[in-house]
Amino acid sequence: MDVKEDVIGSAGSRSPDGIADIKSLDSDALKLAEMGYTQDMRRNFSVFSVLGVGFSLTNSWFGVSSALVTGINSGGPLLIIYGIIIIALISICVGISLSELASALPNAGGQYFWANELAPKKYANFASYLTGWFAWAGSIFTSASVALAVGSAGVGCWQLGHPDFVVAPKHVVAAYQVINVFAFIFNCWGKTLPKVASVTLYTSLVSWFVILVTVPAAAPTHQHAKFVFATFINNTGWSQSGIAFIVGLINTNWAFACLDCATHMAEEVARPEKMIPIAIMGTVAIGFITAWFYSVSLFFSVIGDFNDLVNSPTLVPILALFYAALRSTAGAIALESLIMATGIGCQIASHTWQSRLCWSFARDRGIPGHQILSKVHPTLDVPIYAHAVSCIIVAALGCLYLGSYTAFN
């Protein structure tokens, strides 16, 4: 049996959804074969579940919540409200470019594969190699960042309920490791991942709506429009407001990061040339709507001074905002729990992302130990070794927080 027939047979035998899907999978597998690859992963994902992975990772409103302290000190409400619009416009351009490339060359390697195909032959290998390493490293640092955000939120909730408790780095690191292990376990079964992705998408949107409505409804007073749309704060140490604004854009930029996630699922969804662009642009659209209205809602609900939020003993500004608005410890913890649930979904998606990057890069022999890291477990249907190694590195990065908060960030 030649390669073409082998690919068709493999794809067809793995499709449970009837003749139409078999034809689609055959076509997808043939396109993959034309790029020089065999169909190693089952195409279990639908466009909705791929959107679930993509948006669960980007999760713009969660990103605004987690990096709120940066936005407050480097521009305040004005930075976040208008920064979201600026970064959303940039993200549309990025999303269109990613969509075009994913449509033409749907491959789990994403950017490093495209770099190898499109760069001048003289520089193609180097460009691809460098891009692959940066992409994988970026996914690992993202997982570390999300684990820290969710872990800090959990420890902050405990402190709010126990005022005598003093948050220390070791507490945050312990919570960080728990979140990392939890997300690792969820990513060990390929068959369940599409359902998990759909659930995390719903969890994020429901959590967003509950917080969007509850906080301004419960707040005893509300800020005026000038405070929300025209207040600029510069606590960065830079004398130039423009520099402070640019530095503060890290908050809104993080809220739209990782748009390439869906591209690395190209070998796990049928008709990726159509479905991946829908997932990417859908992520940008949902991200802008949720993040902008969420930010407006919260800033209208701010009680007191921003310094009270930044200097909260919980070390979680958004939790302090909830507590001030609701005047209830249980209520604030309940809302923060919704953010944590969303963050756990984000972490699961980030682990999916980093494992696919590691696996695909190893498949092209770009990583030491590629003989092992490029294997897909035949029963679990996940690149389990690539997944495990990535998670171990994330766990090691968390230990930096014990030594230096600045170094970790």
Side-chain angles (χ1 to χ4, degrees):
M1 180 182 291
D2 62 21
V3 173
K4 180 176 179 180
E5 291 173 338
D6 182 59
V7 170
I8 292 177
S10 174
S13 64
R14 291 176 176 177
S15 174
D17 298 322
I19 300 299
D21 281 347
I22 290 175
K23 290 181 179 179
S24 175
L25 292 178
D26 288 351
S27 175
D28 296 333
L30 284 174
K31 290 177 183 176
L32 198 58
E34 290 172 0
M35 301 179 206
Y37 300 92
T38 57
Q39 182 72 55
D40 296 322
M41 305 281 282
R42 294 185 180 95
R43 295 184 183 268
N44 292 325
F45 282 78
S46 65
V47 65
F48 188 79
S49 54
V50 171
L51 175 61
V53 174
F55 180 73
S56 293
L57 178 57
T58 300
N59 237 322
S60 300
W61 73 270
F62 168 76
V64 170
S65 297
S66 302
L68 188 62
V69 64
T70 304
I72 290 175
N73 287 321
S74 304
L78 184 146
L79 176 278
I80 295 178
I81 296 300
Y82 298 107
I84 288 174
I85 298 174
I86 293 171
I87 299 299
L89 291 173
I90 295 173
S91 296
I92 289 173
C93 298
V94 173
I96 291 172
S97 297
L98 289 172
S99 297
E100 180 67 22
L101 289 167
S103 180
L105 298 168
N107 187 283
Q111 298 96 313
Y112 87 78
F113 177 78
W114 303 332
N116 187 70
E117 294 295 307
L118 302 176
K121 288 187 177 180
K122 182 178 179 181
Y123 307 106
N125 287 342
F126 177 74
S128 178
Y129 187 74
L130 198 63
T131 302
W133 272 104
F134 275 130
W136 185 39
S139 68
I140 288 174
F141 288 128
T142 298
S143 293
S145 179
V146 175
L148 179 67
V150 180
S152 298
V155 175
C157 287
W158 179 264
Q159 196 286 328
L160 186 63
H162 302 79
D164 295 332
F165 177 75
V166 178
V167 178
K170 62 182 180 181
H171 304 132
V172 177
V173 171
Y176 171 106
Q177 301 298 357
V178 170
I179 298 300
N180 187 45
V181 171
F182 187 79
F184 168 80
I185 294 172
F186 261 89
N187 271 276
C188 286
W189 289 274
K191 188 176 181 180
T192 62
L193 275 177
K195 294 180 180 178
V196 171
S198 299
V199 170
T200 56
L201 175 59
Y202 282 122
T203 299
S204 177
L205 295 178
V206 170
S207 299
W208 165 77
F209 183 77
V210 170
I211 297 172
L212 181 78
V213 174
T214 302
V215 175
T221 61
H222 297 93
Q223 297 288 348
H224 48 79
K226 183 178 180 181
F227 174 85
V228 177
F229 296 103
T231 299
F232 186 83
I233 299 171
N234 182 5
N235 294 328
T236 62
W238 294 94
S239 58
Q240 298 90 350
S241 296
I243 296 295
F245 185 89
I246 293 173
V247 170
L249 283 175
I250 190 174
N251 175 286
T252 51
N253 181 59
W254 197 63
F256 285 91
C258 313
L259 287 178
D260 66 298
C261 175
T263 67
H264 304 292
M265 307 301 294
E267 295 177 33
E268 297 177 64
V269 61
R271 293 185 297 162
E273 68 280 356
K274 180 179 180 180
M275 301 308 174
I276 298 301
I278 291 174
I280 292 173
M281 299 312 296
T283 295
V284 177
I286 298 173
F288 170 71
I289 293 171
T290 55
W292 195 82
F293 284 101
Y294 179 77
S295 299
V296 170
S297 172
L298 292 188
F299 285 131
F300 269 114
S301 306
V302 169
I303 308 297
D305 191 85
F306 269 130
N307 288 327
D308 296 334
L309 304 182
V310 175
N311 299 319
S312 167
T314 66
L315 303 183
V316 184
I318 193 68
L319 177 59
L321 191 156
F322 291 159
Y323 179 69
L326 274 65
R327 294 152 293 161
S328 166
T329 299
I333 292 176
L335 293 186
E336 187 65 25
S337 296
L338 293 178
I339 290 182
M340 290 177 61
T342 299
I344 290 172
C346 182
Q347 184 72 347
I348 292 171
S350 189
H351 277 214
T352 304
W353 177 43
Q354 70 181 15
S355 66
R356 271 48 175 187
L357 268 167
C358 180
W359 163 71
S360 60
F361 199 32
R363 183 176 60 178
D364 286 317
R365 303 183 297 279
I367 302 176
H370 59 82
Q371 300 91 336
I372 297 175
L373 297 177
S374 60
K375 292 183 178 180
V376 176
H377 195 282
T379 304
L380 300 177
D381 194 35
V382 294
I384 192 68
Y385 301 112
H387 177 41
V389 168
S390 298
C391 290
I392 290 170
I393 297 174
V394 172
L397 282 176
C399 296
L400 284 175
Y401 196 79
L402 292 171
S404 172
Y405 175 82
T406 303
F408 185 92
N409 281 285

